[in-house]
Every structure is written in C-alpha cells, then in structure tokens.
Amino acid sequence: MRLSLITGFAAALAASAAFVPAVWAQEVTLRAVSSFAEGTEFSKNFERFVEKVNADGKGVIKINYIGGPRAVPPFEVGNAVRTRVVDIANVTGAFYTNLMPEADGFKLNGKPMSEQRKNGTWEYINQLHNQKLNSQYLARQFHNVPFHIYLNKKIDKIDFSGLKIRVTPVYKDVVEALGGTPITTAPGEVYTALERGVADGYGWPVTGIFDLGWEKVTKFRVEPAFYSVEVGVLVNLDVWKGLNDAQKKVLNDAATWLEALDSENDALIASERDKQSKAGIAPIEFSAADAKAFLVKANDVGWASVIKRSPENGAKLRKLSGN
Ligand code: 173
C-alpha cells in the first residue's frame, strides 16, 4: 500500500517535467513536500518560506508545494529528496537516521543558526547531507524549541519502567535509559495509539500537540523540557547544482529569513504551555537535582548513541555543539 503510493507519486512526478534545467527556462519550478501535516506547527514556517520564494522569485524560481505525509510518508521523505522523487523538502533529521545516523545528533545542538553558520557547524552538516543524502542543507528551523515526554499515567520519579512510550529516534535512547518501552510511530499514528492504550505516552515538542487533537488523549507533561527541535529544508543536490546564481540567491535569502523566524518561538512556547494547562494537561515536576540529572542523562545517552553509530562524525558534531 505504502509502496504503491510512493511509486504512484514518483510516476506522476516523472510524467510532468519535475525539473527544467535553468538554461532551458527562465523560471524553474521545484516540487516540495513536508514530513509534517499541512498547516501544522512544523510545516507552517516552511509554508511561509514557500510563499516568500514564490513572491520574491517571480520569473526566476517557483516552488510547487505538494503537501504533507499524504504525498510521501514521513520516514520516506529524506530518501525521496536523495533520489529526486521530490526537489525540496521540509523534514527532521530524526526521520532519515537510517540514511544518516549522525542526523540523530542535530537535536543536541541548540545554538542559534547565526552562530552555527559562523562556527562551521552548518558547513559540516551540509557536507554530511551532500555525501549521504545527495542534498543541500538549505536551512535549519526551531533550534530554540525543546521536547517533552507526555504521559497518561502519573509517575513520582523520573522512571518510565512499565510504560510504553511512542518515540522517534529523538526520544528512543532516553526512554530506554529510563526503563520505558519505546514504540516507534510516525506522528499520524500517535492519536490512535493513545486512544487505544497501545501507548501510555509520547515524545513531542512543547508546541504543536493541539494540531492533531492530542490534548483530548493527554493527561500529563513531564518536566523538564530537553533537546532542541531540528527541522531542515533539504534540496536535492543535482537540482541545487543545476540552479543559476539568481535562483540560488532567492532560496538562500529565503532560508536566512526562515531561520530568523525562530525569534517567534519563545512567545509561542509560553502561549502553548498556557493553552495546555487550560486544556487540563498537568505538568509533572521533579526536584532541581532530579531535573538536572535527567538532562545530563538525556544529553549523554543521545551523544553515546550517535557516536556509537558514527564515531568520527559524531565526535566532531559533539565538539561543534559544545555539549
Ligand atoms: O516526535 C516526532 O515525530 C519527532 O521526532 C519530531 C521532530 C521534530 C519536530 C517534531 C517532531
């Protein structure tokens, strides 16, 4: 079913010229997808980026936004960019760790992108994308948005023993380290897993749980927040190399603009936390010492897992992160 969907999608793309080299046409059109549902928290800034490119790039470059996971399943989006099934995508590294284990380490660097671009981090991550994902790492969003574990059962110490928790690679190691049973699912399956009691909780950023109605099936939010969201904009590398300077400039300028939208996140986080408490989602809080120990453990198990899978690159990413 999944496979036939992707195959059908690829065939549809091939049938209509997906990419016209710049030498043949004034305006190039890129086909875009998002690994998150259309209009939801982690797609919406990318959708603003698409609008900006289409406004600023008139006659030069255009993005045709196909949409979210109905077009390409979330865990397939990285590979779809690599193989040029799509030209450009909004996707978190957590969804393509099968192709790039180092991508699991992006969550461990919460420095502003202005700094990551200055100190060589972006360049290094871009090299990894060039090599392993045949793509250009155009932008990184949400560096200042952390994650939480949400639960439907109350705990009185930071211990997930006996709990089944929905994860992606972002949370898997920390959930295991604290005794929980991780269950990996795409975001689209979270609601049903909670409703049916297949999962007792889930990992997700502090923002966005209202988008898919999860407040109806969520009782608690474990404090403290940890890690940093990473959602990248990837452009297929052959497509990128085929663009002329004017076309690249429109994309790069829009990428800088997109990264700067992170300045909106602090206010957004405050209002989401407020909205969660009004919806009856109660924080579970621990002592300052326990909270600190949890953060140290989360950081340690996160890096250990990346470095185990990719010793050299993982160590380099850790050094660049300062964590
Ligand atoms: O929980 C997830 O699906 C996940 O890994 C993620 C990553 C970035 C933003 C939102 C969710």
Side-chain angles (χ1 to χ4, degrees):
M1 172 63 186
R2 273 279 151 83
L3 201 65
S4 66
L5 239 179
I6 301 171
T7 314
F9 185 64
L13 285 188
S16 60
F19 180 73
V20 184
V23 279
W24 298 113
Q26 278 286 82
E27 188 179 71
V28 69
T29 300
L30 306 184
R31 295 189 172 251
V33 296
S34 177
S35 62
F36 297 97
E38 289 140 61
T40 62
E41 185 58 31
F42 298 100
S43 285
K44 78 181 192 224
N45 284 0
F46 177 69
E47 290 162 2
R48 291 160 75 187
F49 162 91
V50 169
E51 270 178 34
K52 181 170 172 63
V53 168
N54 290 344
D56 297 353
K58 272 209 164 52
V60 176
I61 187 165
K62 192 162 92 187
I63 296 178
N64 176 13
Y65 181 47
I66 314 283
R70 281 176 302 174
V72 180
F75 299 147
E76 307 281 349
V77 169
N79 199 42
V81 180
R82 187 182 70 82
T83 55
R84 208 165 139 180
V85 167
V86 300
D87 300 316
I88 180 167
N90 180 62
V91 58
T92 173
F95 293 173
Y96 53 82
T97 56
N98 56 329
L99 300 172
M100 188 194 289
E102 297 87 349
D104 202 17
F106 305 158
K107 70 188 179 199
L108 299 165
N109 190 333
K111 290 185 176 163
M113 280 314 290
S114 52
E115 201 177 324
Q116 294 199 40
R117 285 189 182 267
K118 264 190 226 123
N119 73 7
T121 307
W122 175 84
E123 201 179 344
Y124 189 66
I125 291 175
N126 187 44
Q127 270 172 31
L128 291 174
H129 282 83
N130 289 179
Q131 290 159 10
K132 302 198 172 194
L133 234 79
N134 188 37
S135 63
Q136 177 79 1
Y137 192 64
L138 195 70
R140 183 231 169 120
Q141 310 158 73
F142 305 112
H143 80 278
N144 52 354
V145 178
F147 297 91
H148 283 278
I149 300 296
Y150 298 84
L151 291 178
N152 281 328
K153 293 184 177 155
K154 192 144 200 297
I155 51 173
D156 49 23
K157 53 185 184 351
I158 311 189
D159 180 346
F160 300 146
S161 297
L163 298 176
K164 291 168 287 176
I165 300 179
R166 174 271 172 184
V167 300
T168 65
V170 169
Y171 332 90
K172 185 166 186 281
D173 296 297
V174 69
V175 163
E176 272 173 347
L178 293 167
T181 304
I183 306 167
T184 302
T185 82
E189 282 134 44
V190 171
Y191 189 99
T192 315
L194 292 163
E195 197 184 28
R196 295 190 183 157
V198 171
D200 303 307
Y202 58 98
W204 192 258
V206 62
T207 52
I209 70 153
F210 293 89
D211 284 336
L212 300 169
W214 298 348
E215 79 282 2
K216 294 188 214 104
V217 285
T218 305
K219 294 202 176 98
F220 305 105
R221 184 188 64 244
V222 179
E223 298 287 337
F226 58 101
Y227 299 159
S228 300
V229 172
E230 181 269 346
V231 179
V233 177
L234 270 50
V235 182
N236 173 277
L237 195 57
D238 303 306
V239 170
W240 177 254
K241 285 179 176 163
L243 299 176
N244 65 30
D245 288 349
Q247 291 160 340
K248 282 183 181 157
K249 182 167 164 40
V250 173
L251 290 183
N252 276 329
D253 289 353
T256 307
W257 175 87
L258 176 64
E259 287 179 352
L261 294 182
D262 276 356
S263 64
E264 299 175 352
N265 293 336
D266 286 351
L268 203 71
I269 290 167
S271 93
E272 285 260 329
R273 286 173 64 91
D274 190 47
K275 207 170 153 194
Q276 285 183 18
S277 80
K278 288 192 174 117
I281 299 171
I284 303 181
E285 279 165 320
F286 299 96
S287 70
D290 287 349
K292 178 88 210 296
F294 167 77
L295 293 178
V296 169
K297 180 166 252 172
N299 192 59
D300 285 350
V301 298
W303 280 123
S305 168
V306 175
I307 289 165
K308 187 171 161 208
R309 282 174 286 167
S310 183
E312 227 173 274
N313 297 339
K316 172 102 197 218
L317 284 172
R318 182 165 200 177
K319 190 152 182 261
L320 285 164
S321 80
N323 273 327

